[in-house]
Amino acid sequence: MSNRGSEPDSEQSPDMPPPVELPDELVEGADRSINIGGEPTTGGRASAFAGAEPEAYVAVLVTESTSDSPDFQPLYEESFVLLTAHSEEEAHEKAREYGKQQEISYHNEHQQLVTWRLKHVVEVKQIEDATFDDGSELYSRFFRDYARYRSFEPTLEGEEP
């Protein structure tokens, strides 16, 4: 999970406003998991799914940073999130809820307000091999234009994100 703005910068000056803290209801326990719908894993299942085990899904989310600063350049984050759900529709809804719960605003080192918002749920796919052993494939996609892919993937150009 990304931690955009969730930890104070060790070099932050005392007169700078602190980062915006996540509300307590979004942070549950030491594992930093959040409730994105459905029954708690320690409790019972919803009656409609009493006999069915949830399946593993991976969701691809894109978030966008914005600011009112005139020289601010938007930054985007693509994240891959593991979900369990009883259907693709439920997994898609949980992905959207997760993305919304990750939205945050904070002041950067120049005291400018930066806001991260869910831009798009790109895709939700069931994980076919949910054994999670070495080499288990979590997500893949096909594309035709490698030059375009390279244009937005900074590590392929030797650039730091």
Side-chain angles (χ1 to χ4, degrees):
M1 175 168 67
S2 174
N3 64 358
R4 307 179 284 272
S6 62
E7 299 295 326
D9 186 351
S10 60
E11 297 177 14
Q12 182 174 348
S13 72
D15 57 312
M16 281 183 57
V20 175
E21 294 293 324
L22 288 174
D24 289 339
E25 63 269 13
L26 296 183
V27 180
E28 296 179 2
D31 66 355
R32 307 274 299 161
S33 64
I34 60 174
N35 184 356
I36 54 174
E39 295 292 321
T41 55
T42 57
R45 286 193 179 86
S47 61
F49 304 113
E53 289 293 320
E55 300 290 333
Y57 289 83
V58 63
V60 182
L61 307 171
V62 173
T63 54
E64 175 184 34
S65 69
T66 59
S67 177
D68 290 338
S69 173
D71 60 342
F72 185 82
Q73 292 184 335
L75 183 63
Y76 299 90
E77 179 183 33
E78 180 181 51
S79 59
F80 298 79
V81 179
L82 177 65
L83 305 167
T84 57
H86 293 92
S87 68
E88 187 172 326
E89 294 78 22
E90 179 187 3
H92 195 277
E93 180 58 28
K94 287 177 82 172
R96 191 191 67 71
E97 288 177 34
Y98 175 85
K100 288 295 198 181
Q101 290 180 12
Q102 296 302 301
E103 292 180 345
I104 188 170
S105 293
Y106 60 92
H107 290 91
N108 66 13
E109 65 275 5
H110 304 290
Q111 299 185 8
Q112 299 160 331
L113 184 65
V114 176
T115 300
W116 284 91
R117 296 280 181 249
L118 176 65
K119 180 94 172 153
H120 193 72
V121 176
V122 176
E123 187 171 17
V124 175
K125 289 176 66 172
Q126 186 173 352
I127 298 174
E128 299 299 324
D129 178 13
T131 58
F132 304 111
D133 295 326
D134 283 352
S136 294
E137 184 173 284
L138 300 179
Y139 178 77
S140 69
R141 63 180 166 183
F142 296 95
F143 56 92
R144 295 190 186 279
D145 192 338
Y146 185 70
R148 260 188 162 168
Y149 178 79
R150 234 181 115 139
S151 73
F152 77 85
E153 180 51 54
T155 59
L156 294 175
E157 296 292 328
E159 178 184 327
E160 289 294 319

